[in-house]
Amino acid sequence: MAKTILMKNPAAGLTKKGFYGFSWTTFLFAGFPAVFRGDFLIGIIMIFAALPTFWIAPTVFAFIYNRRYTTKLLEHGYRFAGSEAENAAAAAKLGVDLSATAVPQGA
């Protein structure tokens, strides 16, 4: 089951939800969740890979897509903006350095 972590881009002031863990939506709907999140290229790849592989590709992507999406948000300047416990859990699960990925308090 996927867990949600609030993410904030301090430079732009935008917030998004990041996810980590198994993606049931990717498992059930292939690349459509990626397309709806704005990750068009990966979404289209997943959609076109679903049928010829008899739904094996979405099963594999379900294990890795949420991590990929949230890591991509971190690379684009987003930072964890949840509670300290939520931020620590997300950073541990994603294997990233928490000190470099948390929004400073009061920001």
Side-chain angles (χ1 to χ4, degrees):
M1 181 91 171
K3 304 259 190 226
T4 305
I5 183 71
L6 185 64
M7 313 237 357
K8 182 177 182 179
N9 186 326
L14 301 172
T15 59
K16 288 188 176 188
K17 289 181 182 177
F19 304 93
Y20 59 97
F22 186 81
S23 175
W24 282 99
T25 55
T26 299
F27 177 72
L28 296 172
F29 304 111
F32 288 102
V35 170
F36 294 142
R37 292 179 189 172
D39 202 356
F40 298 110
L41 180 61
I42 295 300
I44 297 300
I45 290 170
M46 285 192 276
I47 290 167
F48 283 110
L51 291 176
T53 63
F54 301 102
W55 222 260
I56 293 171
T59 303
V60 172
F61 280 124
F63 285 98
I64 60 174
Y65 179 67
N66 281 338
R67 170 184 280 230
R68 184 209 171 279
Y69 174 73
T70 304
T71 303
K72 183 179 168 189
L73 287 178
L74 290 169
E75 290 169 358
H76 284 96
Y78 283 84
R79 300 292 175 241
F80 297 136
S83 69
E84 288 185 29
E86 292 170 335
N87 293 348
K93 187 70 175 176
L94 295 169
V96 296
D97 181 20
L98 181 60
S99 63
T101 59
V103 174
Q105 295 297 343

